[in-house]
Amino acid sequence: MDTCENPLALGVFCGFSAGPSERYVDTATALGAGLAARGHRLVYGAGGVGLMGAVARGAAGGGAPILGVIPEFLRAKEMGDHLPPQQIVLTKDLLERKRVMIDRADAFVALPGGYGTLDEVLEVVSMAALGQDVGPLVLLDVDDDWWPLLDHVERLGRRGFVRDTGILRLARTPEQALDMVAEAAAARVPVPAGDHQHARAAR
């Protein structure tokens, strides 16, 4: 196992859906396998299907410890879903699930997802913008999924509603995402404003 010197509890936000093409599942699986190879622990939403399941299976295949966090009402609905071996934390609701995931993770990677994924991403971003002690977050793109959000944040910045537009960092591959979170977590400093503008220039 190609472990790193500073293993992380890595929170992964992602969709319950598998996405519109095989690239999404392949990327999620590679992210899970990559974090395992580096000796990281996976913290995720305890789903057994879609991108959630792919990340977990990739991590489990590499021997990574896994913490799954899920509300009781969702777990009751998904009891039939196959989950890789993991520690499960049951929460009262989605709000508590989000807080537990954020509290238990040192850094975050977000794959594409739906409302829940956006909520989790924006919670971390809001905390970082307000100077709260929260780990760095990297958006992992598959097919330009995150550019509409980056465009919107830039517009908010131009209108004076957002100051720290550089909090949102973009990676194109699982390896790049893991490198970015590891570097940022080791430095534990705010991401310089303009990082994703530089990424846009290379788009």
Side-chain angles (χ1 to χ4, degrees):
M1 183 180 292
D2 182 20
T3 57
C4 65
E5 293 183 2
N6 298 303
L8 302 170
L10 186 59
V12 175
F13 303 137
C14 58
F16 186 76
S17 167
S21 74
E22 291 183 3
R23 288 181 58 202
Y24 288 82
V25 169
D26 290 345
T27 300
T29 303
L31 177 64
L35 72 86
R38 297 181 188 219
H40 300 320
R41 180 188 194 194
L42 172 63
V43 179
Y44 87 122
V49 299
L51 300 189
M52 281 192 189
V55 169
R57 285 189 293 276
I66 302 174
L67 175 67
V69 186
I70 189 168
E72 293 176 356
F73 79 92
L74 275 182
R75 185 64 184 134
K77 291 181 179 180
E78 299 168 10
M79 286 298 292
D81 292 350
H82 173 69
L83 296 179
Q86 60 188 264
Q87 177 188 356
I88 294 287
V89 173
L90 293 176
T91 63
K92 293 179 296 185
D93 51 34
L94 291 168
L95 180 60
E96 185 184 4
R97 175 208 227 175
K98 181 171 59 176
R99 297 303 311 146
V100 170
M101 289 182 67
I102 291 173
D103 289 344
R104 297 286 187 94
D106 302 310
F108 306 91
V109 174
L111 285 155
Y115 293 128
T117 301
L118 287 173
D119 178 48
E120 291 158 347
V121 166
L122 292 177
E123 181 79 10
V124 171
V125 170
S126 297
M127 291 177 69
L130 293 171
Q132 299 297 296
D133 184 19
V134 65
L137 178 141
V138 171
L139 305 175
L140 175 51
D141 215 21
V142 178
D143 190 17
D144 291 338
D145 306 276
W146 289 113
W147 284 108
L149 176 61
L150 296 179
D151 288 338
H152 185 59
V153 169
E154 283 190 356
R155 286 196 294 272
L156 291 175
R158 290 196 299 269
R159 289 165 171 77
F161 291 110
V162 170
R163 295 180 182 178
D164 302 315
T165 58
I167 291 175
L168 289 169
R169 306 183 71 180
L170 186 71
R172 289 293 190 183
T173 66
E175 293 78 12
Q176 184 183 24
L178 291 167
D179 286 343
M180 291 169 71
V181 292
E183 181 181 354
R188 201 64 169 176
V189 294
V191 176
D195 255 22
H196 79 260
Q197 284 91 336
H198 296 158
R200 179 183 304 281
R203 184 179 176 183

